[in-house]
Amino acid sequence: GVDDEIVFYFISSVNEDQFLALETIGITYPNSNYLVNRQNSNLFTIEYVVSGVGHLYINNKEYTCKTGDKYILLPNTKQEYYADKNNPFKKYWVNFRSKQFEKYINDFNLENNVLYKNLDISNEMNSIFELEKITSENKVIANKAMSILFSILMKMKQYNELGSHNFIEDEIIIAKSIIEYFNKEENKE
């Protein structure tokens, strides 16, 4: 069950070859009966736990997420997640399709990672929510959305390499240059 949920839908007139298509973004306020069970989703899902506790069962592995944690659910995986009975989690989330993002996940060897403890992506999630204020059309916001998602991806990569969420200068510079590239491409359109 859900006590409340805020969901924004994006218009997707894109084909499968486009590098990104946002589907939905939202905030979920689950109650203790909340349960999601997907046998084979075709979407990427990134969720950031704002408060509380949740439990994940992804591809036969169990995880517990808490305030400040981030998790990613990859396409073509068995996904079950639910709220803690005593302290249900509140979460921000984004669902999207992207062959390019899948390539980055594989190139950075992140395909087996689900949970990132204390990985703060609140600024990136807020930036994704700001996109909804611009338009619901993917073709208008795709580059900006990809730059935000790439920033999250770089944090995940850094977390895996150093076992923490502290960033080194070189990766910040790389991420900024990629964001600038996507923003320039968007301004050309």
Side-chain angles (χ1 to χ4, degrees):
V2 173
D3 287 339
D4 194 15
E5 188 166 57
I6 301 166
V7 180
F8 299 104
Y9 297 89
F10 290 87
I11 299 168
S12 193
S13 59
V14 297
N15 61 39
E16 289 295 319
D17 294 330
Q18 184 166 354
F19 73 105
L20 174 73
L22 288 179
E23 296 282 329
T24 51
I25 58 174
I27 305 170
T28 303
Y29 303 85
N31 61 37
S32 59
N33 297 317
Y34 179 77
L35 169 70
V36 173
N37 189 334
R38 296 186 189 111
Q39 293 303 310
N40 193 18
S41 174
N42 67 342
L43 300 172
F44 283 94
T45 300
I46 295 176
E47 301 201 353
Y48 178 68
V49 180
V50 178
S51 62
V53 178
H55 304 281
L56 314 169
Y57 191 69
I58 311 300
N59 284 338
N60 302 318
K61 291 184 184 176
E62 290 187 55
Y63 307 88
T64 297
C65 55
K66 299 177 181 172
T67 304
D69 293 348
K70 172 228 161 278
Y71 58 92
I72 184 167
L73 307 174
L74 303 179
N76 307 312
T77 58
K78 183 178 177 184
Q79 307 167 0
E80 181 177 301
Y81 50 103
Y82 54 95
D84 187 78
K85 297 288 182 199
N86 298 316
N87 187 15
F89 59 177
K90 171 186 169 187
K91 57 200 179 86
Y92 296 161
W93 49 268
V94 57
N95 294 330
F96 61 96
R97 289 180 286 114
S98 174
K99 297 227 183 264
Q100 190 63 43
F101 199 80
E102 187 172 3
K103 180 184 178 321
Y104 292 144
I105 290 281
N106 293 329
D107 287 350
F108 295 157
N109 297 312
L110 301 173
E111 62 274 5
N112 295 317
N113 297 52
V114 173
L115 182 62
Y116 296 80
K117 294 285 198 183
N118 295 312
L119 183 62
D120 185 3
I121 60 166
S122 57
N123 288 337
E124 289 84 358
M125 294 304 283
N126 288 332
S127 294
I128 288 172
F129 279 94
E130 290 296 315
L131 295 177
E132 184 275 330
K133 295 177 183 174
I134 298 169
T135 183
S136 62
E137 291 192 39
N138 268 294
K139 64 182 178 184
V140 175
I141 59 166
N143 287 335
K144 194 172 292 287
M146 188 56 131
S147 69
I148 296 165
L149 292 170
F150 191 83
S151 177
I152 293 172
L153 189 71
M154 291 304 293
K155 284 186 174 185
M156 292 163 51
K157 180 179 181 290
Q158 179 72 37
Y159 184 98
N160 279 3
E161 289 175 354
L162 299 181
S164 73
H165 54 280
N166 297 320
F167 295 94
I168 55 176
E169 257 336 281
D170 290 346
E171 289 188 330
I172 291 172
I173 291 167
I174 291 168
K176 284 181 179 178
S177 67
I178 291 170
I179 289 168
E180 286 174 16
Y181 169 78
F182 284 126
N183 288 336
K184 285 179 188 175
E185 289 297 311
E186 182 178 83
N187 291 332
K188 287 180 184 178
E189 296 175 2

